[in-house]
Amino acid sequence: MATAGVRLLRNLASSVAVLAVILFVAFGLPAINRMVPAGSDQVGGRAYGVGAGVTVVPPPDARIDLTSTRPGNDRGTVLFLLGPVRYVIVVTPFGGSIDEAAGKLRTKITSTRGYQVTDGEHPYTTAGGLTGIQGCYSAPGRLGRYAVFLSDGRSIEVTVSGSEGELAAQMAQIEASIASIAQR
Amino acid sequence: MTAVPVRPTPRSARAVRSLAMPAFWLLVALFVICGMRLFGILETAYGKYPRATLAALVLFGLYAVPFWLFIVSMDFLEREPALLLATAFGWGAAVATTVSIPGNQAIYHLASKLVSPEFAAAWGPAIAGPTTEELLKGLGVVVIVLIARAQVNSVLDGMVYGALVGLGFQVIEDIVYAVNAVAVAGQGDAIGPVIATVFLRGFLAGLWSHTIFSALVGGGIAYFLVHQERSTLNRLAGAMVGFGGAWLLHFLWNSPLLADGVGGGASGLLLGLFVKGMPALILVLSLARLARTREARFYLAQLGAIHEPQIATPEEVGTLGDPHTRARARRHAKRIAGVKGERAVRALQRAQCRYAVELARLRTIHGTLDPRTDPVLRHRRRAVLDARYRMAVLGLPEALPGTHKRGHALWWALLAVFVVLLVFSALRALGGS
C-alpha cells in the first residue's frame, strides 16, 4: 500500500506528464512546424489551379505559402508571396449577384480593425472574359487592392496587400496575374 | 480471480483531499489560462457580431442540456459528483479547445509542406483533428482520475466523464463554427448562418461527434483503472483500444471518404452522413449499455442478496436495472395515484439504489455487512422503508411497470413526425428540393 507521500509524488509526476503533453501540443508542434520552411515552391509564370476549375498565372517571382493554400473540388484558397506583398485568391460557392459578392468582400476587408475601402469601384474584365469589380483599400501602414468575379456559381475574391513602396514595385506583375484568372 | 466490474467509492473519499493533489492546482492554473484565452476568442467574436455570437451561445447552450441529462442519466445507480461533471465539461470547453487550435494548425501546415496542399486540404482535418483533440480530451479524464481517483469506479463512470469532456468541446467548437459561418456569409451580424450551423453541426453531425468519441476514450481509461485483477498488458490494451477506436472513428468522420455522399443529390449526401456517423453512435451506445448493465448487475446483486421484500422485491430489483422499466414503473404509479404516486416511486427507486451502493461499499471495501450496527446503512435502510410507507399510503404496493400501452403510440407518432421533419429540413439544407 502506497503511503501518502508516495501517492503525492506519483500525482506530481502524472501532473507533470499531463502538462508536458499540453505544452507539446500548444508550443512543441508549432515550433516543429516553424522549423520546416513554408515557401518551398516557386510557382510563378505558369498556370496554377486555385480550386473549382479556377486558374491563375502568378507573377514570375511569386512563391506559394503552403500553409495558407487549400485547393478543393468546389472551392479553393491560395496565398502567393512576392517578398512582403500578399496576393490571395479565394474561390467559394456563391449564389448572389456581382454587387452582393463585392459587398461581401468589402465587409470582410473592413471587418478587420483599421481597414477602410478607399476608392470607388469600377468594372474589370480578365483576359479570359470573366467580368467583375475592382477597388482599393487601406490599413495602417498598408495599401491594398481587391477584385471580385463570378463564375460557374462561385465567387472569386482577390486581395493584394503590402506597404506602398512594395506594392507599387510589384503591381504591374500582379495586375497581369489578375488578368490571367480564368475558369476552365 | 473473479472479475470485478465495479469498485465502489469508499466512504473515506472526500472532495477536500483533492486540494492536496498537485493535479488539482495544475487544473486550476489551466482553467485560468485557457479560460482567459477562450474568453478572448468569444469576446472578439462578440465585438464583431454581437447578436450572432449571443444567439450561438444561447442555442448551443440549450442544445447541450438534453445531451447532459442523457449522459448523467446513464449513471443512475451511483451518480457522480456534480462538481466533477462540471469539471469534465469545463476541460473540454476551455482547455481541450484552446490548446488544440495551435496543435491542429501545426499538423495541418506540416502535412501541406511535407506532402502537398492538396493532401492537406483533403486529409489534414482527418489527421490533425483526432490526433490532438482525442489526446487533449482524454487528458481531461486523466486529470479527473488524478484529482478524484475514487470516483472513477467503473467503465461506465469513465464513459460518462469522457462524454462530458467531449460535450464541452463540441459546444464551444460549434459556437466558433457558427460565428465563422456568419463571417463567411458576409451579411453582417445575421442570425441565419447561426441557425444553419445549429442544424448542420448540431443535428446532422452532432449525434456522432466529440461526445461519442471521448466516451470511448474515457471508457478505455476507466477500464485500465478498474480492472486491476487483470494483467497490466490487458489493461493497457483496453486503454489503447478506447483511444484507438475514438481516433479511428474521428478520422473516418473527418476524412474525405463519402464526402460527396452515397449516390447523388441531397438525399445521397444525407445517406453518406448517416453511413459515416451511425456506426460510431451504435457502437458507443452499445458499449455504454453493456457497461451500465454490468454496473447495475453488480449493485443490484447486493440488493437481491438480502432477500427482504420490504426493501426490494425480486421484481423491483429486476426493474431497477433498466432505465426504461424504471420509467415505466413511475408512469404506472402516475396512472394509479397521480403525480404523488410517480414521485413516491421515484423516491423509492433512488433510496433502493443508494442502499444497494452502500451495501456494495460495505461488502467489497470494508468487508463487513451488519445493517444493525452500521449507522450509514441503517440510515439508508430507513429511507427505503419511509419511501415504501409513502407508496403504501397511496395504494401502491410495489414499484413495478404496468401493462398499459396507451400513450406510447402518441410518443412514437410524435417522434416519427420529428424525424420526418428533420430529414426534410436536412435535405433542404443540403441543397435538395
Side-chain angles (χ1 to χ4, degrees):
Chain A
M1 197 82 173
T3 62
V6 171
R7 276 202 299 273
L8 269 182
L9 275 177
R10 276 186 194 161
N11 194 277
L12 179 64
S14 305
S15 304
V16 170
V18 168
L19 183 62
V21 174
I22 287 173
L23 291 176
F24 175 73
V25 174
F27 301 106
L29 283 173
I32 293 169
N33 176 43
R34 281 193 295 274
M35 285 159 62
V36 178
S40 57
D41 284 354
Q42 184 126 13
V43 291
R46 56 184 188 273
Y48 181 88
V50 181
V54 174
T55 61
V56 62
V57 180
D61 299 333
R63 302 180 78 87
I64 191 168
D65 185 331
L66 295 172
T67 63
S68 299
T69 297
R70 299 181 184 194
N73 291 332
D74 68 335
R75 63 188 67 221
T77 304
V78 63
L79 167 59
F80 297 115
L81 300 170
L82 293 106
V85 174
R86 294 166 62 85
Y87 172 26
V88 184
I89 302 174
V90 179
V91 182
T92 48
F94 187 75
S97 65
I98 188 69
D99 288 332
E100 287 168 334
K104 184 182 159 194
L105 182 55
R106 278 197 305 272
T107 307
K108 201 192 278 186
I109 290 167
T110 53
S111 67
T112 304
R113 191 169 291 173
Y115 279 62
Q116 292 292 325
V117 171
T118 54
D119 207 355
E121 291 173 336
H122 54 272
Y124 182 85
T125 305
T126 66
L130 291 177
T131 54
I133 287 175
Q134 203 175 52
C136 296
Y137 65 93
S138 72
R142 292 179 85 78
L143 286 178
R145 177 79 66 88
Y146 68 88
V148 61
F149 307 96
L150 290 186
S151 172
D152 202 17
R154 294 180 180 85
S155 69
I156 304 167
E157 297 174 350
V158 181
T159 47
V160 184
S161 67
S163 70
E164 196 173 351
E166 294 155 358
L167 205 57
Q170 302 281 357
M171 208 55 224
Q173 292 181 30
I174 291 171
E175 279 179 346
S177 174
I178 293 172
S180 74
I181 293 173
Q183 174 78 57
R184 275 184 300 178
Chain B
M1 188 181 272
T2 313
V4 182
V6 182
R7 293 182 180 276
T9 308
R11 282 180 191 166
S12 56
R14 294 282 180 277
V16 73
R17 287 190 183 173
S18 300
L19 297 178
M21 297 293 177
F24 174 81
W25 297 105
L26 172 69
L27 177 73
V28 170
L30 286 171
F31 267 4
V32 170
I33 295 166
C34 296
M36 283 167 64
R37 174 101 181 89
L38 178 63
F39 181 77
I41 291 170
L42 295 176
E43 192 189 25
T44 305
Y46 185 80
K48 283 183 180 175
Y49 310 107
R51 266 186 354 133
T53 306
L54 211 57
L57 282 167
V58 170
L59 289 175
F60 279 108
L62 290 173
Y63 169 83
V65 172
F67 275 83
W68 180 293
L69 293 176
F70 177 77
I71 293 165
V72 172
S73 74
M74 297 283 292
D75 199 19
F76 180 81
L77 275 148
E78 193 194 22
R79 296 194 170 223
E80 302 305 310
L83 194 59
L84 277 185
L85 297 175
T87 301
F89 185 88
W91 179 279
V95 181
T97 48
T98 53
V99 176
S100 69
I101 292 170
N104 279 347
Q105 276 179 352
I107 292 177
Y108 187 95
H109 291 169
L110 281 168
S112 186
K113 292 177 198 173
L114 299 176
V115 187
S116 70
E118 289 81 5
F119 175 81
W123 293 96
I127 297 168
T131 306
T132 59
E133 292 166 9
E134 294 314 322
L135 182 67
L136 291 167
K137 288 184 291 172
L139 286 183
V141 181
V142 171
V143 169
I144 295 276
V145 170
L146 289 175
I147 62 172
R149 163 70 185 86
Q151 298 295 340
V152 184
N153 42 39
S154 69
V155 171
L156 183 65
D157 289 354
M159 294 186 88
V160 166
Y161 286 120
L164 282 174
V165 172
L167 181 63
F169 190 98
Q170 192 173 328
V171 165
I172 293 299
E173 188 185 57
D174 286 348
I175 289 169
V176 171
Y177 271 106
V179 177
N180 284 346
V182 173
V184 168
Q187 295 161 351
D189 191 11
I191 292 179
V194 175
I195 293 168
T197 308
V198 170
F199 184 74
L200 288 169
R201 292 194 60 86
F203 290 105
L204 293 187
L207 296 177
W208 31 74
S209 184
H210 291 284
T211 309
I212 288 289
F213 306 146
S214 307
L216 212 49
V217 178
I221 292 168
Y223 179 90
F224 178 83
L225 286 173
V226 174
H227 287 286
Q228 290 183 4
E229 78 286 356
R230 297 187 182 169
S231 69
T232 307
L233 202 62
N234 179 295
R235 292 161 58 211
L236 270 176
M240 290 313 294
V241 165
F243 180 80
W247 192 93
L248 194 64
L249 292 174
H250 197 161
F251 173 83
L252 285 173
W253 179 251
N254 280 10
S255 78
L257 300 172
L258 295 178
D260 296 327
V262 180
S267 54
L269 273 177
L270 191 60
L271 186 61
L273 287 175
F274 275 89
V275 168
K276 279 175 89 170
M278 194 58 92
L281 182 68
I282 292 171
L283 172 73
V284 175
L285 284 182
S286 304
L287 286 173
R289 188 182 167 86
L290 181 69
R292 189 184 63 197
T293 306
R294 285 192 173 176
E295 189 185 87
R297 264 194 215 135
F298 172 80
Y299 283 121
L300 296 177
Q302 320 291 327
L303 202 60
I306 58 172
H307 302 295
E308 271 193 80
Q310 273 299 301
I311 297 295
T313 65
E315 292 78 14
E316 283 176 341
V317 173
T319 301
L320 279 176
D322 183 61
H324 299 294
T325 52
R326 281 199 306 268
R328 278 178 56 205
R330 293 195 292 269
R331 279 201 299 272
H332 180 59
K334 190 178 178 182
R335 283 191 197 100
I336 294 172
V339 178
K340 281 186 178 176
E342 185 187 22
R343 283 186 188 152
V345 168
R346 188 190 297 275
L348 179 74
Q349 288 174 339
R350 284 199 175 149
Q352 286 171 328
C353 288
R354 285 181 184 139
Y355 189 59
V357 170
E358 215 51 56
L359 283 169
R361 275 185 187 141
L362 276 183
R363 276 197 175 138
T364 57
I365 296 171
H366 305 284
T368 58
L369 181 57
D370 188 352
R372 291 162 301 180
T373 56
D374 186 78
V376 179
L377 204 57
R378 264 209 327 261
H379 173 71
R380 296 279 187 237
R381 183 184 160 79
R382 189 70 254 160
V384 176
L385 294 175
D386 287 349
R388 174 77 70 194
Y389 174 74
R390 282 196 293 277
M391 274 178 54
V393 168
L394 294 166
L396 296 165
E398 279 186 274
L400 295 178
T403 53
H404 298 270
K405 291 286 177 193
R406 207 178 59 182
H408 272 92
L410 179 66
W411 281 112
W412 282 115
L414 283 174
L415 185 66
V417 168
F418 177 71
V419 170
V420 168
L421 282 175
L422 205 61
V423 171
F424 178 72
S425 310
L427 288 173
R428 282 180 66 95
L430 292 170
S433 54

